[in-house]
Amino acid sequence: DKSKVFNTARIEALEVDNLIEVAQATMVSAAARKECRGAHTVEDYERPADDPVAPLGRDDANWMKHTLWYSADNRLSYKPVKLQPLTVASVPPKVRSPMY
């Protein structure tokens, strides 16, 4: 495209391509997670709020980690969550109460 007019159709096509890739990353990551956390709720892993191991299905012992998705070979890897910030006080993780 050599025109001096902004090519919105090309930008929109790139945006759709990016949206599809983000959707795939979300689906693959969610399917691999064997717990409930935040907006990610799976009926198979729901637990009561007073469950001693996974309250409301949240399993910090096994899932307190970042999920990384690689599009080239559609694989996942993980890295730990840093609970000690460098410049501010740490806020300990806690189970949020459901909003329903």
Side-chain angles (χ1 to χ4, degrees), residues 31-91:
R33 196 170 273 272
K34 307 300 182 208
E35 66 151 9
C36 298
R37 183 176 298 268
H40 175 79
T41 300
V42 181
E43 288 182 4
D44 293 348
Y45 305 112
E46 287 183 311
R47 304 283 184 271
D50 61 352
D51 186 279
V53 176
L56 298 176
R58 178 180 166 141
D59 181 5
D60 285 349
N62 296 303
W63 286 101
M64 180 70 77
K65 54 189 170 185
H66 296 289
T67 304
L68 306 171
W69 176 71
Y70 298 90
S71 61
D73 52 355
N74 193 33
R75 70 179 170 86
L76 297 174
S77 70
Y78 302 94
K79 71 177 190 176
V81 172
K82 293 182 181 179
L83 295 175
Q84 293 297 323
L86 297 176
T87 59
V88 296
S90 178
V91 176

Side-chain angles (χ1 to χ4, degrees), residues 14-46:
L14 291 171
E15 288 174 349
V16 167
D17 189 48
N18 288 338
L19 288 170
I20 290 170
E21 191 167 335
V22 168
Q24 185 175 1
T26 302
M27 291 185 300
V28 171
S29 299
R33 196 170 273 272
K34 307 300 182 208
E35 66 151 9
C36 298
R37 183 176 298 268
H40 175 79
T41 300
V42 181
E43 288 182 4
D44 293 348
Y45 305 112
E46 287 183 311

